[in-house]
């Protein structure tokens, strides 16, 4: 039966060539192989987000008087609504975490070097987009925590000299965080961001397809017989699928035993409750802003922070283009920079949690 | 004009055309996403309640048009009002009866009862508004 379907398709679409092609792709095997899985897991989590996101769309409504109520409806009335929403929320957090891990593993194995510069750049942009997904999605349930986190988050942009105020108005769709903000964030979250993300992701994967997976530098000059490889198809793919199954189980476990809370509805005329903090993936930036003085020279402290992370992000994104000029100790220097960035993000995040 | 061939002239025209085309698409889009300024009705005075609705040494956030305003009744019984939007990062402030101060829970900013920023990150004082008591009714107005 399967054979016949396969033959029917093969006759028309030459599947054999594809199988041939895939069985010639190899994944290098060495003690860092484990890190190769994080890209695949991130991809899987994105697919989970798209699926659960589309399901949420069937009941979610946008508006100051509708959003909170519709999310509460999803959680209390819709069968398995609580599960879908919880998976979407947990999935967002796990996805951002795995993308971070994926990025640092690429950095430390120096797989961003020629010829993979653009794979690195597209990957970095995907991380930035994932952060935007998180920021815009967070507001959508229109609960109190999200309302104030968005007020604070958008207000930071107001520190940009001259055009700051206008930028905040564009972000919020008006002077205040209101139903207009909700409408904007909704459009970004479910239409614009998924579109751009999908295009970039396709490019990212095409680049990888074309070039194959980077081999560790220590392999250069080794005889072929000493290089251990695993065929991408079916070995690596099957392991990947197994891992996806495990990740799905982790997600289900988190969603069932730690269901995502909704909290009270946003009230633009009530004082902010204590403990307003952004999601953990913004904490390192937030904590940096908090420890900056109100004025640095003649600039607002927040703006200096914004500038610092914009420039830092640009340098990080363009690593493959300037790292080659570091000279004799480029490996050591690049390694050191990676650790500084990683330790900085980790300490600031922890500090942000505790304060 | 030496150095300008017919070819480079056409390239130049083409480039100009593309730039013109892109900007004629982008310009309306950018204008579109800037929210229009809705003229705010100049609020003269808003009635926020009766004198007896407010206990001495307490505060409440009330609506002043689209704006949240913190109305405080001090322990001595007089009224004060300030815009409730924190001058740091726009959280909404509250009155702390235990400290007899205005407090912002977001980053622990504090203001005294004249709205002056006295501790924490807020860089500027809160804008004061005027409270008028007429008979039994409490009104908030923006000082002209
Ligand atoms: C095509 C893709 C997506 C669609 C259609 C979609 C749709 C939605 C909808 C309708 C909501 C509001 C319902 C709710 O709040 O429970 C929402 C919330 C949210 N989304 Fe998405 N989403 C997508 C992808 C993503 C991605 C990739 C991320 C993160 C990386 C993400 C992160 C979030 C977050 C953090 C929330 C708030 C969850 C909550 O507190 O309820 N979404 N999304
Ligand atoms: S927003 Fe009030 S102290 Fe930061």
């Amino acid at each position: 039966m399967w054979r016949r379907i396969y033959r029917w398709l093969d006759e028309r679409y030459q599947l054999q060539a594809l199988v041939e092609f895939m069985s010639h792709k190899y994944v290098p095997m060495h003690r860092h192989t484990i890190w190769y899985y994080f890209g695949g897991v991130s991809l899987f989590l994105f697919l989970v987000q798209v699926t659960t996101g589309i399901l949420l769309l069937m009941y979610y409504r946008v508006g100051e008087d509708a959003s909170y109520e519709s999310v509460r409806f999803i959680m209390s009335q819709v069968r398995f609504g609580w599960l879908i929403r919880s998976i979407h929320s947990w999935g967002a957090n796990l996805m951002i975490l795995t993308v971070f891990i994926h990025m640092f593993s690429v950095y430390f194995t120096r797989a961003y070097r020629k010829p993979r510069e653009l794979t690195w750049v597209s990957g970095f942009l995907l991380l930035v987009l994932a952060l935007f997904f998180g920021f815009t999605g967070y507001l959508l349930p229109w609960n109190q925590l999200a309302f104030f986190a968005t007020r604070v988050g958008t207000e930071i942009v107001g520190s940009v000299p001259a055009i700051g105020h206008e930028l905040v108005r564009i972000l919020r769709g008006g002077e205040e965080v209101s139903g207009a903000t909700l409408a904007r964030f909704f459009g970004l979250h479910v239409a614009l961001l998924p579109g751009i993300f999908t295009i970039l992701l396709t490019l990212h994967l095409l680049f990888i397809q074309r070039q194959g997976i980077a081999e560790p530098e220590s392999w250069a000059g080794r005889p072929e017989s000493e290089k251990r490889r695993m065929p991408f198809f079916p070995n690596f793919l099957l392991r990947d699928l197994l891992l996806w199954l495990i990740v799905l189980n982790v997600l289900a476990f988190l969603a069932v035993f730690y269901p995502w809370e909704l909290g009270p509805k946003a009230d633009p005329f009530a004082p902010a409750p204590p403990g307003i903090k952004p999601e953990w993936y913004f904490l390192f930036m937030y904590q940096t802003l908090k420890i900056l003085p109100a004025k640095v020279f003649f600039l607002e402290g927040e703006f200096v922070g914004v500038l610092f992370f914009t420039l830092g992000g640009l340098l990080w994104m363009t690593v493959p283009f300037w790292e080659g000029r570091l000279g004799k100790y480029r490996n050591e220097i690049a390694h050191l920079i990676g650790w500084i960035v990683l330790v900085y993000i980790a300490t600031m995040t922890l500090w942000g949690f505790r304060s | 004009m030496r150095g300008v061939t017919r070819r480079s002239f056409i390239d130049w025209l083409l480039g100009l055309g593309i730039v013109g085309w892109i900007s004629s698409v982008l310009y309306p889009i950018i204008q579109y996403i800037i929210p229009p300024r809705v003229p705010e009705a100049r609020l003269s005075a808003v009635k926020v309640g009766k004198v007896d609705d407010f206990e001495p040494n307490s505060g409440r956030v009330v609506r002043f048009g689209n704006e949240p305003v913190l109305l405080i009744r001090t322990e001595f019984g007089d009224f004060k009002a300030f815009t409730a939007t924190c001058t740091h990062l726009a959280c909404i402030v509250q009155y702390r009866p235990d400290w007899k101060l205005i407090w912002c829970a977001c980053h622990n900013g504090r203001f005294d009862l004249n709205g002056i920023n006295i501790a924490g990150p807020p860089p500027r004082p809160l804008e004061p508004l005027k409270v008028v008591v007429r008979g039994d009714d409490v009104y908030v107005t923006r000082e002209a």
Side-chain angles (χ1 to χ4, degrees), chain A residues 115-141:
Chain A
R116 297 188 175 76
E117 298 94 331
L118 292 182
T119 319
W120 170 265
V121 172
S122 56
F124 178 81
L125 293 177
L126 285 171
L127 171 65
V128 173
L129 285 182
L131 294 177
F132 274 107
F133 259 119
F135 189 69
T136 52
Y138 193 59
L139 179 71
L140 297 185

Side-chain angles (χ1 to χ4, degrees), chain A residues 46 49-50 53-54 56-57 60 71 85 88-89 92 95-96 130 133-134 137-138 140-141 186 189-190 194 260 279 281:
Chain A
F46 178 66
Q49 290 309 97
V50 175
I54 291 173
L56 286 171
L57 271 178
Y60 178 79
V71 174
R85 171 169 185 254
H88 195 73
S89 306
M95 172 176 149
I96 290 177
F133 259 119
Y138 193 59
L140 297 185
F186 180 66
H189 191 83
V190 309
W260 207 262
E279 291 274 78
Y281 40 86

Side-chain angles (χ1 to χ4, degrees), chain A residues 147-148 151-152 155-156 165-166 169-170 172-175 184 267-276 286 290 302, chain B residues 32-37 61-68 85 88-94 103 105-107 121 123:
Chain A
F147 174 75
F148 281 108
R151 256 178 102 106
V152 171
E155 187 75 17
I156 291 169
H165 183 68
E166 209 62 2
R169 290 186 69 243
I170 293 179
R172 292 184 180 166
E175 297 293 333
R184 264 172 203 225
D267 177 357
F269 291 94
I276 292 296
Y286 188 65
K290 266 173 75 174
E302 275 87 29
Chain B
Y32 183 90
I33 63 169
I34 299 175
R37 283 183 200 279
V61 178
V62 296
R63 277 169 187 268
F64 186 71
N66 287 327
E67 261 180 279
T85 305
H88 178 220
L89 291 174
C91 277
I92 296 181
V93 298
Q94 56 188 291
W103 180 53
C106 281
H107 316 104

Side-chain angles (χ1 to χ4, degrees), chain A residues 230-294:
Chain A
M230 150 174 38
F232 177 81
F233 183 84
N235 302 39
F236 190 79
L237 196 67
L238 281 181
R239 289 189 195 202
D240 231 3
L241 288 179
L242 180 67
L243 191 62
W244 288 16
L245 210 63
I246 295 174
V247 172
L248 190 62
N249 280 317
V250 171
L251 254 187
F253 176 85
L254 288 170
V256 169
F257 291 102
Y258 302 92
W260 207 262
E261 307 237 335
L262 182 56
K265 184 177 171 176
D267 177 357
F269 291 94
I276 292 296
K277 262 182 210 171
E279 291 274 78
W280 62 268
Y281 40 86
F282 291 122
L283 268 183
F284 72 98
M285 298 194 245
Y286 188 65
Q287 188 60 27
T288 308
L289 292 187
K290 266 173 75 174
I291 60 173
L292 281 171

